[in-house]
Amino acid sequence: MARSRSMQASGASLAPWLGISLIVILFDQLTKIAVTRVFSYATPYVVTPFFNFLLIFNRGAAFSFLSSASGWQRWAFTGLGVVAACVIVSLLKRHGNQRLFCTALSLIMGGALGNVIDRIVHGRVIDFLDFHVGNWHWPAFNLADSAIVIGAMLLVLDELRRVRGTR
């Protein structure tokens, strides 16, 4: 009976965090569907003097790391994303009461799984956000990447708060 209650509490505390990840995945995939239907590949659509929509495909990881490899990287990065999601779910189960920490992990997991879906379905990640200054362009990215970066920044903030005792 006591074990059943602890499992229920654990499952209940996991739901909001999985919900955040699911929202990230849904928005990520919906924007990628829209972009691939509206924009032509590698043709910039100028929005502001420093931002374009630019549909490109990335077979590698961040900053096109290993994008020119022979294809093994698709499955390696897919596996890495799945393993990361499993580790994150374990951490969410153990630390479900730490809101900032779990929010950060949920964003990272949603972003990782959004890109895993791309790798499985398309064999590459769909990127379309292109920021630039003059002719210097930041590597194009997507909403999944944004969620991962925001999650990472929240992890740093959580750790700084923990170290300073202001949690």
Side-chain angles (χ1 to χ4, degrees):
M1 182 81 162
R3 181 181 169 118
S4 175
R5 284 188 186 152
S6 70
M7 289 178 75
Q8 287 176 346
S10 175
S13 65
L14 195 57
W17 311 125
L18 295 179
I20 290 170
S21 290
L22 182 61
I23 290 168
V24 169
I25 292 166
L26 288 174
F27 277 115
D28 175 63
Q29 291 299 303
L30 288 173
T31 57
K32 289 172 179 174
I33 289 167
V35 165
T36 56
R37 290 186 178 173
V38 172
F39 299 111
S40 299
Y41 180 77
T43 304
Y45 178 79
V46 178
V47 178
T48 71
F50 59 87
F51 173 70
N52 303 324
F53 285 115
L54 177 68
L55 174 62
I56 61 165
F57 304 123
N58 182 359
R59 295 187 189 282
F63 306 109
S64 297
F65 176 67
L66 294 175
S67 64
S68 61
S70 63
W72 61 267
Q73 74 278 20
R74 172 185 183 186
W75 302 111
F77 292 135
T78 298
L80 182 62
V82 171
V83 168
C86 291
V87 170
I88 289 171
V89 167
S90 174
L91 289 169
L92 291 172
K93 284 180 181 179
R94 286 188 286 170
H95 303 282
N97 61 339
Q98 296 177 26
R99 296 178 79 182
L100 185 57
F101 180 70
C102 290
T103 299
L105 291 178
S106 298
L107 291 171
I108 292 168
M109 182 169 68
L113 291 176
N115 285 338
V116 162
I117 290 168
D118 281 10
R119 290 181 198 290
I120 291 171
V121 173
H122 307 290
R124 59 198 178 209
V125 174
I126 298 166
D127 290 326
F128 58 90
L129 301 171
D130 176 38
F131 286 88
H132 57 91
V133 176
N135 289 329
W136 183 86
H137 289 255
W138 186 258
F141 58 99
N142 56 46
L143 292 185
D145 300 331
S146 300
I148 292 168
V149 169
I150 292 167
M153 291 187 313
L154 290 176
L155 280 178
V156 170
L157 177 62
D158 182 62
E159 186 59 23
L160 289 173
R161 290 175 62 193
R162 186 183 339 270
V163 168
R164 291 184 181 149
T166 59
R167 291 189 61 200

